[in-house]
Structure formats: structure tokens, C-alpha cells
Amino acid sequence: MSERKIRIMVAKPGLDGHDRGARVLARCFRDAGFEVIYTGCHQTPEQIVAGAIQEDVDMVGLSCLSGAHRYLFPRVVELLRERKADDITVIGGGIIPDQDFKMLYDAGIKEIFTPGASLDSIVDWVKSHIKPRA
Amino acid sequence: MNNDKDEVQRIREGDVRTASRLIRNLEDHMPEAKSTIRRIFPHTGKAHIIGVTGSPGAGKSTLTDALIESYRKQGKTVGVLAVDPTSPFTGGAILGDRIRMQRHAEDAEVFVRSLATRGALGGLSKAVGDAIHVLDAMGKDVIMVETVGTGQQEVEIMNHSHTVVVVLVPGMGDEIQAMKAGIMEIADLFVINKADRDGTRQLQTLLMAMLDMAPEFPGGWRPPIIKVENVFDAVTFKGQVGELAEKIDKHYRHLVENQLLGDRLRRKSLVEINEALSACLLEPVLRDLVSSGELERMLDKIVRKECDPYSLAEEATKPYLK
Ligand SMILES: Nc1nc2c(ncn2[C@@H]2O[C@H](COP(=O)(O)OP(=O)(O)O)[C@@H](O)[C@H]2O)c(=O)[nH]1
Ligand SMILES: [Mg+2]
């Protein structure tokens, strides 16, 4: 019998190697019933996008603590657009200063979660915004 | 359907987006995917399909990654299907095999797809078989299927491949587990991975003894044992992986040269028809039982011991088996 499952990629672009947060999030998504593709640290935007397309995910969650989100997050959206895969939603998390929110939203990042956000609130956001594409 | 034909065409041209979408639709049991996979089938049969199985943490993904590199050096195109378990409690899954293979993500000739084991109704082997067909139709020269080898399900999945590689690690008691599940019988090659560890000699001796006891090997192929260690230096590791790749090729040539490929393909076809049959039979029955609410009533009856499941099943399937 047909049943859609939400598929999510959790990826860590950039140079910092602290992926504990990303792992916690991955586990949390699994516990919410999603299929999570976890790709580890030090991912380039090109690798993330190629992987997201091969895995046919509905959403990519980016986590970045290195401060390079201003470049890395928009680059992922741009590459998805180039590959005609911008129906894949991109959200971001990490240490992101308030003044960067607007430029990230403008670049096509759908939502941003900073370290204060509860895991439940992230799962709730996904549940209400991500529908597996028909 | 014109659109459908385009889809098949796009997949044959190697379009990743269309292929990954079709695999998704097959996994999700979308009705429209059924007609597409039928049209895909005539374009399959060219790839060398390699199963890689072993316990969690045995090093399967690391090996698969190294084999990808080896095949790419030979100019071959590669598809990988990596299966990880679904949590029985939440229905979710963490699919982490890509971590070890991401360096190939940008190589257009390498397609890596993770699959979760999903439901308990045994559809996994079918989903894997279908996904293999999709990668095959894309024109991949080599398709590797990585599964966690713990049970009957893996044996079924491995039957989709031409060459089965069983990865064992010294000192884990893997071989006992694998023997119970019948995985040792379907091995065409053994890898003793992490051969830097204690217990390598003992494991090798055990495997040799086990092979010595086998009454005969089909076509005279005695599964070779290859030791691999990925710790001391990259050159040694590459050499060992090269040896493994060579033996895998040799096995395929052995199948072809000794007219054994036909047997393998019949074994593969048997799983395929089995799965197709159970899908054809089970799906409509279950769909009706669920939509009419009859399934729940049946469960009630069984729980209250008013009726046994065998009679209920026979009763329920009668109308379909005229
Ligand atoms: N000591 C040792 N560790 C290894 C070797 N090969 C892989 N590993 C490690 O074993 C762990 C599991 O590897 P992975 O390929 O993900 O295993 P899988 O679960 O079978 O796919 C990783 O931490 C690897 O670094 C090896 O030859 N020797
Ligand atoms: Mg693995």
C-alpha cells in the first residue's frame, strides 16, 4: 500500500568538525518518523546538492558553526536552482547572528534555527511545512 | 502514456533526478511507478551486480567506497544501494552509509542511494530489486548493494546479485551469526576486514575448515578469502582493495565462462517472480481488508480466540482465487 515518507538530508558544510548538534538533530528527525540521510562534516555545497538529488530528499537541513553560513547556505540554494531541484526546501541552523537572517531568507533559506530553538520546535516546523512531493 | 515513455528514456540517458524519483516512488509503492518499472525491465541485464553484506560496523561502507574508486579508475560507472534499518518504534531511519562515500558525490558517473528497510511485510528485497533495475537501466557498469547481514532478509537481497561478498571481522563471532542465517552458503568471496586485529588467523583457519568441509563448489569456484586492513597505510589498503576488485571480476568471468551465469539469473528471477507474485496477491487483499475495516475485525476475532488466523486468511482470500 502506498505511503509517503519524508526524507531529509542533514549536512554540515564548512570547516568546523563539531557535528554533535547535527547528530542530535538527525536522531530527533528519525524519532519523528522521517528518513534521515546523514552525510557528516566538511561538506561542500556541491557535494550536498549532488547528494540531495541522488537521495531524492524533500528537505536539506544545514548546520554551520564556523560563521561561513553567509556564503555556504545561499550557495546550496543557488546550486539546487541550477540543477532544477529548488523544490527541495533548505533550512539552516547554527550560530547565526540576527542581522544575517534577512539576507539568508532573501537568498531562499526557508527557516533558520539558532542554538536556543528546541528540537521539538524544529520537528514541528518540518511537520507543518514539508509535504513529501507528489 | 507518452510521459511515461519519456521517463524511461530519461533514465536510460542517466538522468539522476528522474531515477532517484522513480526509486522513491517504488519504495513508497506509488501505483504509477509500477507501469514504469515494467518498461524499465527490458533495458536491464547489463550491469555486474555485487552484494556486500556483513555485521554493522564491519567496514562495508568503507570498502564500498574504496571499490568505487577502484572501478572509477578502470573507467567503469558505478551505482550503489546502501540499506540501513528502519526503527521499528518510530518508522524513521538514520541512513549513514553516505558519510563514507561522499567524496564521490560530485562524480556524475557514481550514483549512491540510501534505502531504509521500512515495513515488516517483507517488501525490502523487492524494493532493492526494483532499485537495482533502475540503476541497471541507467547504464551503470557495476552496481553494489550494501546490507547489514543478520538474517533471512539479507539472503533474499543477496540473491539479486551475481557476486556476493561477505565481510567478516575477527573476534566478533560474526561467522557464527552468518552461518545461522545461511549467509555463508551464498558467499562467493570472503573479506576478513580489520585484519590488523587479533583473531585474524583463527578466523581464517575457521573459514578454511568450513570451506574444506563443503561437498563441492558449483563450477569449481572455491570462495577466496581476502584480508583487508585500513589502518597502517593507504598504499597497503589500496593494494588489498585492488586484489578484492580483481577477485570480484574473476568471479564474474568464472560465471560467464562456465555457463553458470544462467543459474544465477534463474536464482535472481526466482526471487523476482516470488516478490511480484506476493505483491500481486497480497496487495489487493490487504487493501480491501483495510478499507472495509475487515482487518480490524479479524484481529479482534483472533485476540478473543473466536477464530484462528489460518481459517480467516483462507476465508478472506477465497474470492480472489477463483
Ligand atoms: N581497525 C580498523 N577499522 C576499520 C577498518 N575498516 C573500517 N574501519 C572502521 O570501522 C568503522 C565502521 O565502518 P563502516 O564502513 O561504516 O562499516 P559498515 O557499518 O559495515 O558499513 C569505521 O569507524 C571505520 O573507520 C579496518 O580495516 N581496520
Ligand atoms: Mg555501512
Side-chain angles (χ1 to χ4, degrees):
Chain A
M1 259 151 299
S2 59
E3 189 206 354
R4 280 291 187 204
K5 275 245 179 209
I6 291 182
R7 282 171 74 87
I8 294 175
M9 174 171 279
V10 173
K12 265 194 68 59
L15 295 176
D16 72 290
H18 307 284
D19 70 336
R20 218 175 59 120
R23 279 173 192 272
V24 170
L25 187 64
R27 227 167 295 142
C28 186
F29 281 157
R30 175 200 59 195
D31 293 344
F34 309 148
E35 288 182 357
V36 187
I37 292 95
Y38 183 64
T39 57
C41 299
H42 310 307
Q43 297 292 300
T44 65
E46 285 78 7
Q47 286 175 318
I48 292 169
V49 166
I53 292 172
Q54 289 174 27
E55 296 288 352
D56 194 44
V57 294
D58 302 299
M59 186 189 98
V60 177
L62 299 170
S63 156
C64 183
L65 303 173
S66 69
H69 55 266
R70 286 176 60 88
Y71 164 72
L72 293 169
F73 289 6
R75 181 73 183 134
V76 168
V77 178
E78 185 181 289
L79 286 168
L80 282 171
R81 211 170 280 147
E82 272 173 28
R83 308 264 314 248
K84 297 197 170 49
D86 50 342
D87 50 333
I88 300 175
T89 303
V90 180
I91 66 170
I95 304 164
I96 294 165
D98 289 350
Q99 67 264 26
D100 288 350
F101 276 44
K102 186 174 181 319
M103 77 82 71
L104 292 176
Y105 286 137
D106 288 347
I109 310 296
K110 285 279 151 34
E111 192 56 275
I112 297 158
F113 294 97
T114 48
S118 73
L119 291 168
D120 283 346
S121 70
I122 304 178
V123 168
D124 285 344
W125 188 92
V126 173
K127 281 186 174 157
S128 56
H129 290 83
I130 305 295
K131 298 279 167 279
R133 286 159 297 138
Chain B
M1 270 199 297
N2 202 11
N3 198 17
D4 191 33
K5 190 174 153 216
D6 286 337
E7 192 182 348
V8 173
Q9 192 52 38
R10 285 202 300 276
I11 287 170
R12 293 187 64 203
E13 285 160 9
D15 184 81
V16 174
R17 196 112 220 263
T18 312
S20 58
R21 170 44 50 106
L22 176 59
I23 294 174
R24 172 92 175 268
N25 287 342
L26 288 161
E27 274 189 290
D28 290 346
H29 296 277
M30 290 295 131
E32 65 272 21
K34 274 193 204 160
S35 77
T36 314
I37 195 71
R38 283 181 209 175
R39 286 158 195 253
I40 290 280
F41 186 80
H43 306 291
T44 63
K46 291 181 283 290
H48 179 194
I49 303 159
I50 303 160
V52 181
T53 190
S55 298
K60 300 176 297 296
S61 300
T62 311
L63 268 182
T64 303
D65 170 70
L67 284 170
I68 297 175
E69 183 181 346
S70 168
Y71 287 124
R72 291 299 295 131
K73 287 232 169 83
Q74 300 172 39
K76 292 180 178 167
T77 60
V78 183
V80 175
L81 297 168
V83 184
D84 269 329
T86 294
S87 153
F89 305 109
T90 67
I94 294 184
L95 311 170
D97 295 313
R98 274 197 92 89
I99 299 178
R100 316 239 179 262
M101 310 177 201
Q102 262 305 78
R103 66 182 167 128
H104 304 289
E106 284 178 78
D107 183 341
E109 305 297 346
V110 178
F111 182 170
V112 178
R113 181 66 156 71
S114 313
L115 298 171
T117 53
R118 301 244 178 139
L121 276 171
L124 173 63
S125 172
K126 180 171 188 301
V128 172
D130 289 348
I132 290 173
H133 285 323
V134 176
L135 297 182
D136 197 341
M138 285 176 88
K140 299 297 177 210
D141 297 316
V142 175
I143 298 169
M144 289 185 271
V145 183
E146 175 188 333
T147 66
V148 175
T150 44
Q152 186 57 36
Q153 225 177 12
E154 280 64 40
V155 175
E156 271 170 45
I157 295 174
M158 288 298 119
N159 280 337
H160 283 294
S161 48
H162 303 115
T163 303
V164 176
V165 180
V166 173
V167 183
L168 299 168
V169 174
M172 297 209 343
D174 276 4
E175 57 290 347
I176 311 296
Q177 215 36 54
M179 243 179 268
K180 279 193 215 150
I183 288 186
M184 300 306 245
E185 286 87 335
I186 59 163
D188 299 305
L189 295 94
F190 290 103
V191 171
I192 300 184
N193 204 24
K194 312 193 188 186
D196 48 300
R197 292 198 180 177
D198 287 348
T200 299
R201 281 263 306 280
Q202 289 92 316
L203 178 54
Q204 191 171 12
T205 311
L206 181 86
L207 285 177
M208 302 268 252
M210 198 195 72
L211 292 170
D212 287 340
M213 280 188 319
E216 57 170 341
F217 300 106
W221 177 267
R222 183 185 161 112
I225 302 167
I226 298 126
K227 287 189 278 187
V228 178
E229 58 215 275
N230 184 19
V231 280
F232 299 120
D233 67 305
V235 180
T236 311
F237 178 60
K238 270 192 191 156
Q240 293 166 331
V241 170
E243 186 194 342
L244 173 60
E246 205 174 287
K247 292 270 163 61
I248 291 174
D249 277 357
K250 195 169 162 198
H251 177 256
Y252 192 70
R253 283 201 306 277
H254 171 85
L255 289 181
V256 174
E257 283 160 15
N258 294 282
Q259 277 81 50
L260 294 167
L261 198 56
D263 292 349
R264 279 297 146 109
L265 295 178
R266 286 188 81 79
R267 179 174 97 178
K268 181 169 161 56
S269 307
L270 180 63
V271 216
E272 288 178 353
I273 193 70
N274 249 330
E275 283 157 2
L277 277 171
S278 55
C280 279
L281 294 171
L282 194 60
E283 269 176 28
V285 179
L286 266 182
R287 195 185 326 113
D288 294 351
L289 287 177
V290 169
S291 69
S292 65
E294 187 55 28
L295 186 67
E296 292 300 323
R297 283 192 287 278
M298 287 164 90
L299 296 182
D300 290 339
K301 282 182 194 161
I302 301 168
V303 171
R304 289 198 297 262
K305 303 268 177 202
E306 287 169 16
C307 201
D308 66 88
Y310 318 102
S311 315
L312 285 172
E314 202 174 294
E315 195 60 37
T317 45
K318 235 179 225 160
Y320 301 87
L321 294 174
K322 290 243 173 65

